[in-house]
Amino acid sequence: MRTLMTCVALVAVGGCGPKPPAQDEPPDRPAPAEAAGPAPAAAGSITDQDWILAQLGERTAPMGAGNRPPTLRLQSAESRAVGFAGCNRYSGAYTLAGDSLKFGPAISTKMSCGDADQLERGFLAMLPVVVTYTATDTSLVLNGPGGPLARFRKQ
């Protein structure tokens, strides 16, 4: 009786009795997308692009240390935002879904850069406030709950 109950339980989950005949897949059939690794960034995607800060709040074309603008790159394979914040390099996690964009806490190197420190503090403080974005082929706008926070241009 116990063997019968075990077999009935296994049949219910497909583990007892004959298996259906294997169906050979054609050799030229592509592998499933999951097995192929991460998909390349879609045309017009904001990921895997280098973005240069064009405006932060009311400040247009802000320049950091070495007369370099802050930058942003959303690395899709690692879901990491990386770049130059105006004085130091930074990195932090991000989540992208539709037009929703959220940044996790950023870490950065800690060099002092005089006037560029203020730009960097503003730039890094802006990231966790971002909730959505809008983009074209050449521009990216990061929006907070009250509207645009920062504008970038494609490098």
Side-chain angles (χ1 to χ4, degrees):
M1 180 75 162
R2 183 172 190 171
T3 305
L4 178 61
M5 295 291 275
T6 303
C7 190
V8 169
L10 289 174
V11 168
V13 294
C16 188
K19 293 186 178 182
Q23 294 184 3
D24 293 331
E25 294 192 344
D28 59 7
R29 184 173 182 181
E34 298 81 38
S45 173
I46 65 169
T47 61
D48 302 316
Q49 305 285 332
D50 292 314
W51 298 98
I52 298 172
L53 185 66
Q55 185 173 355
L56 180 62
E58 299 297 318
R59 191 170 172 189
T60 303
M63 294 301 228
N67 205 31
R68 293 175 33 208
T71 62
L72 171 68
R73 181 176 184 88
L74 301 174
Q75 297 176 327
S76 63
E78 302 88 12
S79 294
R80 302 285 304 168
V82 299
F84 175 69
C87 179
N88 294 283
R89 304 272 319 147
Y90 70 93
S91 174
Y94 74 88
T95 304
L96 179 64
D99 69 346
S100 174
L101 177 60
K102 298 191 185 319
F103 292 93
I107 58 172
S108 69
T109 55
K110 296 294 180 191
M111 296 187 311
S112 177
C113 298
D115 292 342
D117 284 339
Q118 181 181 3
L119 171 59
E120 180 169 283
R121 280 191 303 275
F123 182 84
L124 293 175
M126 172 269 305
L127 292 175
V129 180
V130 172
V131 291
T132 63
Y133 76 92
T134 54
T136 67
D137 287 341
T138 59
S139 69
L140 170 65
V141 178
L142 302 182
N143 302 300
L149 300 169
R151 298 179 193 280
F152 294 81
R153 63 180 169 80
K154 190 182 283 188
Q155 183 171 5

